[in-house]
PDB file of all heavy atoms in Angstrom:
ATOM      1  N   VAL A  30       6.927  19.937  -6.963  1.00 76.00           N
ATOM      2  CA  VAL A  30       7.452  18.571  -7.024  1.00 76.00           C
ATOM      3  C   VAL A  30       6.628  17.643  -6.154  1.00 76.00           C
ATOM      4  O   VAL A  30       6.367  17.957  -4.981  1.00 76.00           O
ATOM      5  CB  VAL A  30       8.961  18.569  -6.583  1.00 76.00           C
ATOM      6  CG1 VAL A  30       9.450  17.133  -6.325  1.00 76.00           C
ATOM      7  CG2 VAL A  30       9.812  19.252  -7.602  1.00 76.00           C
ATOM      8  N   VAL A  31       6.234  16.529  -6.701  1.00 72.00           N
ATOM      9  CA  VAL A  31       5.423  15.592  -5.973  1.00 72.00           C
ATOM     10  C   VAL A  31       6.181  14.267  -5.898  1.00 72.00           C
ATOM     11  O   VAL A  31       6.884  13.845  -6.833  1.00 72.00           O
ATOM     12  CB  VAL A  31       4.134  15.301  -6.759  1.00 72.00           C
ATOM     13  CG1 VAL A  31       3.236  14.258  -6.013  1.00 72.00           C
ATOM     14  CG2 VAL A  31       3.300  16.567  -6.918  1.00 72.00           C
ATOM     15  N   LEU A  32       6.173  13.627  -4.718  1.00 76.00           N
ATOM     16  CA  LEU A  32       6.933  12.427  -4.486  1.00 76.00           C
ATOM     17  C   LEU A  32       6.201  11.228  -5.019  1.00 76.00           C
ATOM     18  O   LEU A  32       5.017  11.271  -5.324  1.00 76.00           O
ATOM     19  CB  LEU A  32       7.275  12.242  -3.024  1.00 76.00           C
ATOM     20  CG  LEU A  32       8.042  13.359  -2.374  1.00 76.00           C
ATOM     21  CD1 LEU A  32       8.539  12.963  -0.990  1.00 76.00           C
ATOM     22  CD2 LEU A  32       9.324  13.763  -3.243  1.00 76.00           C
ATOM     23  N   ASP A  33       6.959  10.098  -5.240  1.00 70.00           N
ATOM     24  CA  ASP A  33       6.448   8.909  -5.898  1.00 70.00           C
ATOM     25  C   ASP A  33       5.198   8.373  -5.246  1.00 70.00           C
ATOM     26  O   ASP A  33       4.284   7.954  -5.924  1.00 70.00           O
ATOM     27  CB  ASP A  33       7.500   7.842  -5.947  1.00 70.00           C
ATOM     28  CG  ASP A  33       7.034   6.527  -6.508  1.00 70.00           C
ATOM     29  OD1 ASP A  33       6.903   6.436  -7.771  1.00 70.00           O
ATOM     30  OD2 ASP A  33       6.697   5.603  -5.725  1.00 70.00           O
ATOM     31  N   LEU A  34       5.074   8.401  -3.913  1.00 68.00           N
ATOM     32  CA  LEU A  34       3.956   7.747  -3.216  1.00 68.00           C
ATOM     33  C   LEU A  34       2.667   8.436  -3.603  1.00 68.00           C
ATOM     34  O   LEU A  34       1.603   7.774  -3.526  1.00 68.00           O
ATOM     35  CB  LEU A  34       4.229   7.822  -1.761  1.00 68.00           C
ATOM     36  CG  LEU A  34       3.451   6.679  -0.958  1.00 68.00           C
ATOM     37  CD1 LEU A  34       4.075   5.361  -1.252  1.00 68.00           C
ATOM     38  CD2 LEU A  34       3.495   6.974   0.532  1.00 68.00           C
ATOM     39  N   SER A  35       2.676   9.645  -4.076  1.00 71.00           N
ATOM     40  CA  SER A  35       1.423  10.331  -4.407  1.00 71.00           C
ATOM     41  C   SER A  35       1.349  10.604  -5.861  1.00 71.00           C
ATOM     42  O   SER A  35       0.409  11.326  -6.294  1.00 71.00           O
ATOM     43  CB  SER A  35       1.338  11.607  -3.597  1.00 71.00           C
ATOM     44  OG  SER A  35       2.424  12.461  -3.807  1.00 71.00           O
ATOM     45  N   ARG A  36       2.224  10.038  -6.665  1.00 74.00           N
ATOM     46  CA  ARG A  36       2.235  10.440  -8.086  1.00 74.00           C
ATOM     47  C   ARG A  36       1.062   9.663  -8.772  1.00 74.00           C
ATOM     48  O   ARG A  36       0.677   8.569  -8.447  1.00 74.00           O
ATOM     49  CB  ARG A  36       3.534  10.046  -8.763  1.00 74.00           C
ATOM     50  CG  ARG A  36       3.740   8.570  -8.917  1.00 74.00           C
ATOM     51  CD  ARG A  36       5.171   8.321  -9.502  1.00 74.00           C
ATOM     52  NE  ARG A  36       5.504   6.892  -9.465  1.00 74.00           N
ATOM     53  CZ  ARG A  36       5.414   6.112 -10.559  1.00 74.00           C
ATOM     54  NH1 ARG A  36       4.914   6.590 -11.641  1.00 74.00           N
ATOM     55  NH2 ARG A  36       5.719   4.850 -10.436  1.00 74.00           N
ATOM     56  N   PRO A  37       0.515  10.215  -9.872  1.00 83.00           N
ATOM     57  CA  PRO A  37      -0.495   9.541 -10.703  1.00 83.00           C
ATOM     58  C   PRO A  37       0.136   8.296 -11.335  1.00 83.00           C
ATOM     59  O   PRO A  37       1.286   8.386 -11.805  1.00 83.00           O
ATOM     60  CB  PRO A  37      -0.936  10.585 -11.701  1.00 83.00           C
ATOM     61  CG  PRO A  37      -0.484  11.919 -11.134  1.00 83.00           C
ATOM     62  CD  PRO A  37       0.770  11.604 -10.378  1.00 83.00           C
ATOM     63  N   VAL A  38      -0.597   7.286 -11.466  1.00 84.00           N
ATOM     64  CA  VAL A  38      -0.133   6.003 -12.109  1.00 84.00           C
ATOM     65  C   VAL A  38      -1.196   5.563 -13.065  1.00 84.00           C
ATOM     66  O   VAL A  38      -2.404   5.441 -12.563  1.00 84.00           O
ATOM     67  CB  VAL A  38       0.219   4.933 -11.062  1.00 84.00           C
ATOM     68  CG1 VAL A  38       0.644   3.677 -11.807  1.00 84.00           C
ATOM     69  CG2 VAL A  38       1.335   5.371 -10.167  1.00 84.00           C
ATOM     70  N   MET A  39      -0.873   5.185 -14.254  1.00 88.00           N
ATOM     71  CA  MET A  39      -1.810   4.558 -15.140  1.00 88.00           C
ATOM     72  C   MET A  39      -1.329   3.087 -15.327  1.00 88.00           C
ATOM     73  O   MET A  39      -0.182   2.868 -15.717  1.00 88.00           O
ATOM     74  CB  MET A  39      -1.900   5.229 -16.541  1.00 88.00           C
ATOM     75  CG  MET A  39      -2.997   4.654 -17.372  1.00 88.00           C
ATOM     76  SD  MET A  39      -3.024   5.328 -19.054  1.00 88.00           S
ATOM     77  CE  MET A  39      -1.823   4.415 -19.856  1.00 88.00           C
ATOM     78  N   ILE A  40      -2.215   2.140 -15.054  1.00 90.00           N
ATOM     79  CA  ILE A  40      -1.877   0.762 -15.205  1.00 90.00           C
ATOM     80  C   ILE A  40      -2.730   0.159 -16.360  1.00 90.00           C
ATOM     81  O   ILE A  40      -3.997   0.199 -16.314  1.00 90.00           O
ATOM     82  CB  ILE A  40      -2.189  -0.063 -13.927  1.00 90.00           C
ATOM     83  CG1 ILE A  40      -1.431   0.589 -12.742  1.00 90.00           C
ATOM     84  CG2 ILE A  40      -1.786  -1.524 -14.017  1.00 90.00           C
ATOM     85  CD1 ILE A  40      -1.825   0.085 -11.341  1.00 90.00           C
ATOM     86  N   GLU A  41      -2.110  -0.464 -17.337  1.00 90.00           N
ATOM     87  CA  GLU A  41      -2.833  -1.046 -18.431  1.00 90.00           C
ATOM     88  C   GLU A  41      -2.991  -2.500 -18.075  1.00 90.00           C
ATOM     89  O   GLU A  41      -2.104  -3.219 -17.801  1.00 90.00           O
ATOM     90  CB  GLU A  41      -2.070  -0.854 -19.725  1.00 90.00           C
ATOM     91  CG  GLU A  41      -1.953   0.534 -20.197  1.00 90.00           C
ATOM     92  CD  GLU A  41      -1.323   0.691 -21.561  1.00 90.00           C
ATOM     93  OE1 GLU A  41      -1.077  -0.366 -22.207  1.00 90.00           O
ATOM     94  OE2 GLU A  41      -1.102   1.824 -22.076  1.00 90.00           O
ATOM     95  N   GLY A  42      -4.285  -2.946 -18.167  1.00 91.00           N
ATOM     96  CA  GLY A  42      -4.590  -4.403 -17.868  1.00 91.00           C
ATOM     97  C   GLY A  42      -5.550  -4.923 -18.922  1.00 91.00           C
ATOM     98  O   GLY A  42      -5.443  -4.531 -20.083  1.00 91.00           O
ATOM     99  N   ALA A  43      -6.434  -5.805 -18.532  1.00 90.00           N
ATOM    100  CA  ALA A  43      -7.397  -6.418 -19.455  1.00 90.00           C
ATOM    101  C   ALA A  43      -8.736  -6.009 -19.022  1.00 90.00           C
ATOM    102  O   ALA A  43      -9.110  -6.004 -17.832  1.00 90.00           O
ATOM    103  CB  ALA A  43      -7.242  -7.949 -19.392  1.00 90.00           C
ATOM    104  N   ALA A  44      -9.626  -5.590 -20.001  1.00 90.00           N
ATOM    105  CA  ALA A  44     -10.989  -5.286 -19.763  1.00 90.00           C
ATOM    106  C   ALA A  44     -11.780  -6.544 -19.536  1.00 90.00           C
ATOM    107  O   ALA A  44     -11.958  -7.229 -20.531  1.00 90.00           O
ATOM    108  CB  ALA A  44     -11.553  -4.431 -20.909  1.00 90.00           C
ATOM    109  N   LEU A  45     -12.240  -6.787 -18.354  1.00 89.00           N
ATOM    110  CA  LEU A  45     -12.919  -8.027 -18.034  1.00 89.00           C
ATOM    111  C   LEU A  45     -14.452  -7.886 -17.886  1.00 89.00           C
ATOM    112  O   LEU A  45     -15.197  -8.824 -18.085  1.00 89.00           O
ATOM    113  CB  LEU A  45     -12.314  -8.695 -16.832  1.00 89.00           C
ATOM    114  CG  LEU A  45     -10.817  -8.997 -16.933  1.00 89.00           C
ATOM    115  CD1 LEU A  45     -10.366  -9.731 -15.660  1.00 89.00           C
ATOM    116  CD2 LEU A  45     -10.483  -9.913 -18.141  1.00 89.00           C
ATOM    117  N   ALA A  46     -14.888  -6.676 -17.436  1.00 86.00           N
ATOM    118  CA  ALA A  46     -16.313  -6.442 -17.314  1.00 86.00           C
ATOM    119  C   ALA A  46     -16.551  -4.954 -17.624  1.00 86.00           C
ATOM    120  O   ALA A  46     -15.846  -4.086 -16.992  1.00 86.00           O
ATOM    121  CB  ALA A  46     -16.820  -6.795 -15.881  1.00 86.00           C
ATOM    122  N   ASP A  47     -17.459  -4.678 -18.409  1.00 86.00           N
ATOM    123  CA  ASP A  47     -17.675  -3.322 -18.899  1.00 86.00           C
ATOM    124  C   ASP A  47     -18.206  -2.395 -17.826  1.00 86.00           C
ATOM    125  O   ASP A  47     -18.801  -2.755 -16.859  1.00 86.00           O
ATOM    126  CB  ASP A  47     -18.742  -3.426 -20.119  1.00 86.00           C
ATOM    127  CG  ASP A  47     -18.958  -2.014 -20.775  1.00 86.00           C
ATOM    128  OD1 ASP A  47     -17.942  -1.367 -20.977  1.00 86.00           O
ATOM    129  OD2 ASP A  47     -20.053  -1.661 -21.091  1.00 86.00           O
ATOM    130  N   GLY A  48     -17.892  -1.130 -18.063  1.00 89.00           N
ATOM    131  CA  GLY A  48     -18.316  -0.077 -17.174  1.00 89.00           C
ATOM    132  C   GLY A  48     -17.175   0.806 -16.733  1.00 89.00           C
ATOM    133  O   GLY A  48     -15.996   0.495 -16.936  1.00 89.00           O
ATOM    134  N   ILE A  49     -17.565   1.968 -16.074  1.00 92.00           N
ATOM    135  CA  ILE A  49     -16.527   2.885 -15.486  1.00 92.00           C
ATOM    136  C   ILE A  49     -16.807   3.126 -14.070  1.00 92.00           C
ATOM    137  O   ILE A  49     -18.000   3.355 -13.696  1.00 92.00           O
ATOM    138  CB  ILE A  49     -16.536   4.142 -16.361  1.00 92.00           C
ATOM    139  CG1 ILE A  49     -16.146   3.984 -17.788  1.00 92.00           C
ATOM    140  CG2 ILE A  49     -15.602   5.215 -15.618  1.00 92.00           C
ATOM    141  CD1 ILE A  49     -16.313   5.213 -18.650  1.00 92.00           C
ATOM    142  N   GLY A  50     -15.812   3.020 -13.199  1.00 92.00           N
ATOM    143  CA  GLY A  50     -16.005   3.250 -11.806  1.00 92.00           C
ATOM    144  C   GLY A  50     -15.070   4.314 -11.268  1.00 92.00           C
ATOM    145  O   GLY A  50     -13.892   4.264 -11.536  1.00 92.00           O
ATOM    146  N   LEU A  51     -15.575   5.260 -10.546  1.00 93.00           N
ATOM    147  CA  LEU A  51     -14.779   6.293  -9.871  1.00 93.00           C
ATOM    148  C   LEU A  51     -14.967   6.174  -8.418  1.00 93.00           C
ATOM    149  O   LEU A  51     -16.062   6.018  -7.932  1.00 93.00           O
ATOM    150  CB  LEU A  51     -15.180   7.795 -10.335  1.00 93.00           C
ATOM    151  CG  LEU A  51     -14.707   8.201 -11.703  1.00 93.00           C
ATOM    152  CD1 LEU A  51     -15.513   7.567 -12.773  1.00 93.00           C
ATOM    153  CD2 LEU A  51     -14.849   9.730 -11.788  1.00 93.00           C
ATOM    154  N   GLY A  52     -13.891   6.185  -7.676  1.00 92.00           N
ATOM    155  CA  GLY A  52     -14.045   6.032  -6.234  1.00 92.00           C
ATOM    156  C   GLY A  52     -12.701   6.063  -5.472  1.00 92.00           C
ATOM    157  O   GLY A  52     -11.702   6.611  -5.984  1.00 92.00           O
ATOM    158  N   SER A  53     -12.669   5.377  -4.304  1.00 92.00           N
ATOM    159  CA  SER A  53     -11.436   5.379  -3.524  1.00 92.00           C
ATOM    160  C   SER A  53     -10.962   3.879  -3.318  1.00 92.00           C
ATOM    161  O   SER A  53     -11.862   2.970  -3.292  1.00 92.00           O
ATOM    162  CB  SER A  53     -11.810   5.958  -2.157  1.00 92.00           C
ATOM    163  OG  SER A  53     -12.211   7.273  -2.283  1.00 92.00           O
ATOM    164  N   VAL A  54      -9.704   3.676  -3.183  1.00 91.00           N
ATOM    165  CA  VAL A  54      -9.167   2.425  -3.035  1.00 91.00           C
ATOM    166  C   VAL A  54      -9.626   1.677  -1.787  1.00 91.00           C
ATOM    167  O   VAL A  54      -9.497   2.302  -0.646  1.00 91.00           O
ATOM    168  CB  VAL A  54      -7.615   2.397  -3.123  1.00 91.00           C
ATOM    169  CG1 VAL A  54      -7.072   1.106  -2.720  1.00 91.00           C
ATOM    170  CG2 VAL A  54      -7.140   2.813  -4.497  1.00 91.00           C
ATOM    171  N   VAL A  55     -10.041   0.494  -1.821  1.00 89.00           N
ATOM    172  CA  VAL A  55     -10.239  -0.366  -0.643  1.00 89.00           C
ATOM    173  C   VAL A  55      -9.449  -1.691  -0.973  1.00 89.00           C
ATOM    174  O   VAL A  55      -9.736  -2.376  -1.966  1.00 89.00           O
ATOM    175  CB  VAL A  55     -11.768  -0.798  -0.465  1.00 89.00           C
ATOM    176  CG1 VAL A  55     -11.894  -1.858   0.602  1.00 89.00           C
ATOM    177  CG2 VAL A  55     -12.605   0.425  -0.080  1.00 89.00           C
ATOM    178  N   LEU A  56      -8.423  -1.874  -0.162  1.00 86.00           N
ATOM    179  CA  LEU A  56      -7.594  -3.030  -0.342  1.00 86.00           C
ATOM    180  C   LEU A  56      -8.279  -4.250   0.270  1.00 86.00           C
ATOM    181  O   LEU A  56      -8.677  -4.226   1.413  1.00 86.00           O
ATOM    182  CB  LEU A  56      -6.191  -2.869   0.347  1.00 86.00           C
ATOM    183  CG  LEU A  56      -5.298  -1.815  -0.350  1.00 86.00           C
ATOM    184  CD1 LEU A  56      -4.090  -1.546   0.552  1.00 86.00           C
ATOM    185  CD2 LEU A  56      -4.850  -2.228  -1.734  1.00 86.00           C
ATOM    186  N   HIS A  57      -8.492  -5.271  -0.563  1.00 82.00           N
ATOM    187  CA  HIS A  57      -9.296  -6.412  -0.093  1.00 82.00           C
ATOM    188  C   HIS A  57      -8.666  -7.091   1.039  1.00 82.00           C
ATOM    189  O   HIS A  57      -9.333  -7.524   2.024  1.00 82.00           O
ATOM    190  CB  HIS A  57      -9.410  -7.472  -1.293  1.00 82.00           C
ATOM    191  CG  HIS A  57     -10.034  -8.709  -0.903  1.00 82.00           C
ATOM    192  ND1 HIS A  57     -11.326  -8.744  -0.440  1.00 82.00           N
ATOM    193  CD2 HIS A  57      -9.675 -10.025  -1.030  1.00 82.00           C
ATOM    194  CE1 HIS A  57     -11.713 -10.045  -0.166  1.00 82.00           C
ATOM    195  NE2 HIS A  57     -10.730 -10.799  -0.498  1.00 82.00           N
ATOM    196  N   GLU A  58      -7.351  -7.194   1.044  1.00 69.00           N
ATOM    197  CA  GLU A  58      -6.624  -7.680   2.250  1.00 69.00           C
ATOM    198  C   GLU A  58      -5.638  -6.498   2.582  1.00 69.00           C
ATOM    199  O   GLU A  58      -4.501  -6.568   2.223  1.00 69.00           O
ATOM    200  CB  GLU A  58      -5.848  -8.954   1.939  1.00 69.00           C
ATOM    201  CG  GLU A  58      -6.819 -10.129   1.868  1.00 69.00           C
ATOM    202  CD  GLU A  58      -6.067 -11.452   1.798  1.00 69.00           C
ATOM    203  OE1 GLU A  58      -4.873 -11.430   1.573  1.00 69.00           O
ATOM    204  OE2 GLU A  58      -6.735 -12.486   1.999  1.00 69.00           O
ATOM    205  N   PRO A  59      -6.146  -5.551   3.396  1.00 62.00           N
ATOM    206  CA  PRO A  59      -5.309  -4.362   3.609  1.00 62.00           C
ATOM    207  C   PRO A  59      -3.953  -4.762   4.282  1.00 62.00           C
ATOM    208  O   PRO A  59      -3.913  -5.650   5.092  1.00 62.00           O
ATOM    209  CB  PRO A  59      -6.180  -3.531   4.623  1.00 62.00           C
ATOM    210  CG  PRO A  59      -7.564  -4.059   4.413  1.00 62.00           C
ATOM    211  CD  PRO A  59      -7.390  -5.556   4.060  1.00 62.00           C
ATOM    212  N   ARG A  60      -2.866  -4.091   3.828  1.00 60.00           N
ATOM    213  CA  ARG A  60      -1.627  -4.353   4.417  1.00 60.00           C
ATOM    214  C   ARG A  60      -1.666  -3.970   5.808  1.00 60.00           C
ATOM    215  O   ARG A  60      -2.191  -2.870   6.275  1.00 60.00           O
ATOM    216  CB  ARG A  60      -0.504  -3.594   3.622  1.00 60.00           C
ATOM    217  CG  ARG A  60      -0.235  -4.077   2.296  1.00 60.00           C
ATOM    218  CD  ARG A  60       0.979  -3.380   1.654  1.00 60.00           C
ATOM    219  NE  ARG A  60       0.700  -1.874   1.488  1.00 60.00           N
ATOM    220  CZ  ARG A  60       0.133  -1.392   0.416  1.00 60.00           C
ATOM    221  NH1 ARG A  60      -0.259  -2.164  -0.488  1.00 60.00           N
ATOM    222  NH2 ARG A  60      -0.054  -0.078   0.333  1.00 60.00           N
ATOM    223  N   VAL A  61      -0.967  -4.788   6.700  1.00 65.00           N
ATOM    224  CA  VAL A  61      -0.850  -4.403   8.048  1.00 65.00           C
ATOM    225  C   VAL A  61       0.164  -3.292   8.233  1.00 65.00           C
ATOM    226  O   VAL A  61       1.303  -3.434   7.727  1.00 65.00           O
ATOM    227  CB  VAL A  61      -0.456  -5.629   8.879  1.00 65.00           C
ATOM    228  CG1 VAL A  61      -0.217  -5.301  10.354  1.00 65.00           C
ATOM    229  CG2 VAL A  61      -1.416  -6.758   8.693  1.00 65.00           C
ATOM    230  N   VAL A  62      -0.213  -2.224   8.832  1.00 66.00           N
ATOM    231  CA  VAL A  62       0.755  -1.102   8.971  1.00 66.00           C
ATOM    232  C   VAL A  62       1.633  -1.322  10.234  1.00 66.00           C
ATOM    233  O   VAL A  62       1.092  -1.418  11.363  1.00 66.00           O
ATOM    234  CB  VAL A  62       0.010   0.219   9.086  1.00 66.00           C
ATOM    235  CG1 VAL A  62       0.889   1.380   9.292  1.00 66.00           C
ATOM    236  CG2 VAL A  62      -0.902   0.473   7.899  1.00 66.00           C
ATOM    237  N   VAL A  63       2.905  -1.428   9.990  1.00 75.00           N
ATOM    238  CA  VAL A  63       3.861  -1.665  11.098  1.00 75.00           C
ATOM    239  C   VAL A  63       4.408  -0.279  11.520  1.00 75.00           C
ATOM    240  O   VAL A  63       5.014   0.440  10.813  1.00 75.00           O
ATOM    241  CB  VAL A  63       5.006  -2.564  10.677  1.00 75.00           C
ATOM    242  CG1 VAL A  63       6.028  -2.754  11.791  1.00 75.00           C
ATOM    243  CG2 VAL A  63       4.530  -3.914  10.209  1.00 75.00           C
ATOM    244  N   THR A  64       4.111   0.099  12.753  1.00 69.00           N
ATOM    245  CA  THR A  64       4.546   1.384  13.312  1.00 69.00           C
ATOM    246  C   THR A  64       5.676   1.256  14.255  1.00 69.00           C
ATOM    247  O   THR A  64       6.464   2.180  14.413  1.00 69.00           O
ATOM    248  CB  THR A  64       3.310   2.032  14.028  1.00 69.00           C
ATOM    249  OG1 THR A  64       2.867   1.220  15.093  1.00 69.00           O
ATOM    250  CG2 THR A  64       2.225   2.402  13.067  1.00 69.00           C
ATOM    251  N   ASN A  65       5.815   0.090  14.875  1.00 78.00           N
ATOM    252  CA  ASN A  65       6.997  -0.192  15.845  1.00 78.00           C
ATOM    253  C   ASN A  65       8.072  -0.843  15.101  1.00 78.00           C
ATOM    254  O   ASN A  65       8.024  -2.057  14.961  1.00 78.00           O
ATOM    255  CB  ASN A  65       6.402  -0.946  16.997  1.00 78.00           C
ATOM    256  CG  ASN A  65       7.443  -1.176  18.085  1.00 78.00           C
ATOM    257  OD1 ASN A  65       8.463  -0.364  18.065  1.00 78.00           O
ATOM    258  ND2 ASN A  65       7.342  -2.139  18.883  1.00 78.00           N
ATOM    259  N   LEU A  66       9.123  -0.104  14.684  1.00 79.00           N
ATOM    260  CA  LEU A  66      10.140  -0.718  13.894  1.00 79.00           C
ATOM    261  C   LEU A  66      11.305  -1.179  14.701  1.00 79.00           C
ATOM    262  O   LEU A  66      11.980  -2.154  14.338  1.00 79.00           O
ATOM    263  CB  LEU A  66      10.775   0.349  12.913  1.00 79.00           C
ATOM    264  CG  LEU A  66       9.703   0.936  11.903  1.00 79.00           C
ATOM    265  CD1 LEU A  66      10.381   2.005  11.107  1.00 79.00           C
ATOM    266  CD2 LEU A  66       9.194  -0.136  11.008  1.00 79.00           C
ATOM    267  N   PHE A  67      11.592  -0.570  15.845  1.00 80.00           N
ATOM    268  CA  PHE A  67      12.904  -0.887  16.601  1.00 80.00           C
ATOM    269  C   PHE A  67      12.591  -1.729  17.802  1.00 80.00           C
ATOM    270  O   PHE A  67      11.656  -1.474  18.591  1.00 80.00           O
ATOM    271  CB  PHE A  67      13.553   0.424  17.005  1.00 80.00           C
ATOM    272  CG  PHE A  67      13.635   1.398  15.902  1.00 80.00           C
ATOM    273  CD1 PHE A  67      12.905   2.550  15.924  1.00 80.00           C
ATOM    274  CD2 PHE A  67      14.490   1.167  14.867  1.00 80.00           C
ATOM    275  CE1 PHE A  67      13.031   3.493  14.905  1.00 80.00           C
ATOM    276  CE2 PHE A  67      14.541   2.126  13.800  1.00 80.00           C
ATOM    277  CZ  PHE A  67      13.856   3.278  13.848  1.00 80.00           C
ATOM    278  N   ASN A  68      13.405  -2.834  18.010  1.00 81.00           N
ATOM    279  CA  ASN A  68      13.139  -3.660  19.180  1.00 81.00           C
ATOM    280  C   ASN A  68      14.029  -3.243  20.311  1.00 81.00           C
ATOM    281  O   ASN A  68      15.189  -2.685  20.211  1.00 81.00           O
ATOM    282  CB  ASN A  68      13.274  -5.091  18.814  1.00 81.00           C
ATOM    283  CG  ASN A  68      14.752  -5.565  18.745  1.00 81.00           C
ATOM    284  OD1 ASN A  68      15.531  -5.483  19.660  1.00 81.00           O
ATOM    285  ND2 ASN A  68      15.106  -6.177  17.542  1.00 81.00           N
ATOM    286  N   GLU A  69      13.522  -3.494  21.531  1.00 81.00           N
ATOM    287  CA  GLU A  69      14.287  -3.255  22.750  1.00 81.00           C
ATOM    288  C   GLU A  69      14.915  -4.501  23.359  1.00 81.00           C
ATOM    289  O   GLU A  69      15.821  -4.497  24.211  1.00 81.00           O
ATOM    290  CB  GLU A  69      13.300  -2.634  23.830  1.00 81.00           C
ATOM    291  CG  GLU A  69      12.661  -1.368  23.413  1.00 81.00           C
ATOM    292  CD  GLU A  69      13.578  -0.167  23.383  1.00 81.00           C
ATOM    293  OE1 GLU A  69      14.780  -0.313  23.933  1.00 81.00           O
ATOM    294  OE2 GLU A  69      13.265   0.861  22.841  1.00 81.00           O
ATOM    295  N   ASP A  70      14.346  -5.643  22.947  1.00 86.00           N
ATOM    296  CA  ASP A  70      14.741  -6.982  23.514  1.00 86.00           C
ATOM    297  C   ASP A  70      14.897  -7.972  22.386  1.00 86.00           C
ATOM    298  O   ASP A  70      13.876  -8.559  21.930  1.00 86.00           O
ATOM    299  CB  ASP A  70      13.700  -7.307  24.559  1.00 86.00           C
ATOM    300  CG  ASP A  70      13.986  -8.752  25.128  1.00 86.00           C
ATOM    301  OD1 ASP A  70      15.042  -9.328  24.839  1.00 86.00           O
ATOM    302  OD2 ASP A  70      13.113  -9.242  25.907  1.00 86.00           O
ATOM    303  N   VAL A  71      16.084  -8.245  21.911  1.00 86.00           N
ATOM    304  CA  VAL A  71      16.286  -9.094  20.799  1.00 86.00           C
ATOM    305  C   VAL A  71      15.756 -10.488  21.047  1.00 86.00           C
ATOM    306  O   VAL A  71      14.962 -11.038  20.213  1.00 86.00           O
ATOM    307  CB  VAL A  71      17.777  -9.210  20.436  1.00 86.00           C
ATOM    308  CG1 VAL A  71      18.065 -10.280  19.355  1.00 86.00           C
ATOM    309  CG2 VAL A  71      18.310  -7.865  19.927  1.00 86.00           C
ATOM    310  N   GLU A  72      16.120 -11.122  22.168  1.00 88.00           N
ATOM    311  CA  GLU A  72      15.673 -12.461  22.446  1.00 88.00           C
ATOM    312  C   GLU A  72      14.133 -12.576  22.548  1.00 88.00           C
ATOM    313  O   GLU A  72      13.452 -13.484  22.109  1.00 88.00           O
ATOM    314  CB  GLU A  72      16.322 -13.044  23.638  1.00 88.00           C
ATOM    315  CG  GLU A  72      17.860 -13.203  23.567  1.00 88.00           C
ATOM    316  CD  GLU A  72      18.257 -13.900  22.299  1.00 88.00           C
ATOM    317  OE1 GLU A  72      17.568 -14.973  22.014  1.00 88.00           O
ATOM    318  OE2 GLU A  72      19.205 -13.483  21.622  1.00 88.00           O
ATOM    319  N   GLY A  73      13.524 -11.455  23.175  1.00 88.00           N
ATOM    320  CA  GLY A  73      12.097 -11.436  23.318  1.00 88.00           C
ATOM    321  C   GLY A  73      11.399 -11.329  21.975  1.00 88.00           C
ATOM    322  O   GLY A  73      10.376 -12.015  21.726  1.00 88.00           O
ATOM    323  N   GLU A  74      12.010 -10.627  21.073  1.00 88.00           N
ATOM    324  CA  GLU A  74      11.446 -10.529  19.688  1.00 88.00           C
ATOM    325  C   GLU A  74      11.594 -11.773  18.910  1.00 88.00           C
ATOM    326  O   GLU A  74      10.708 -12.209  18.137  1.00 88.00           O
ATOM    327  CB  GLU A  74      12.049  -9.357  18.944  1.00 88.00           C
ATOM    328  CG  GLU A  74      11.639  -7.977  19.393  1.00 88.00           C
ATOM    329  CD  GLU A  74      10.140  -7.748  19.303  1.00 88.00           C
ATOM    330  OE1 GLU A  74       9.580  -7.943  18.212  1.00 88.00           O
ATOM    331  OE2 GLU A  74       9.550  -7.366  20.292  1.00 88.00           O
TER     332      GLU A  74
END
């Protein structure tokens, strides 16, 4: 069993420039990864 975050996904779009590319994802504007979820000081936050 594989969870959703790692499942294969096929996205159908529009062919805008010919060719085939295999590689790894580079997010043009990478999401900022928030690791500190809980606050200790409400007014400070």
Side-chain angles (χ1 to χ4, degrees):
V30 168
V31 179
L32 300 189
D33 176 78
L34 204 71
S35 56
R36 72 184 172 99
V38 176
M39 187 186 82
I40 305 170
E41 295 186 5
L45 301 183
D47 186 38
I49 296 172
L51 284 74
S53 302
V54 167
V55 171
L56 294 170
H57 176 57
E58 289 190 344
R60 290 188 295 274
V61 179
V62 178
V63 177
T64 55
N65 183 19
L66 298 177
F67 313 110
N68 80 57
E69 303 286 348
D70 176 6
V71 172
E72 296 308 318
E74 289 299 308

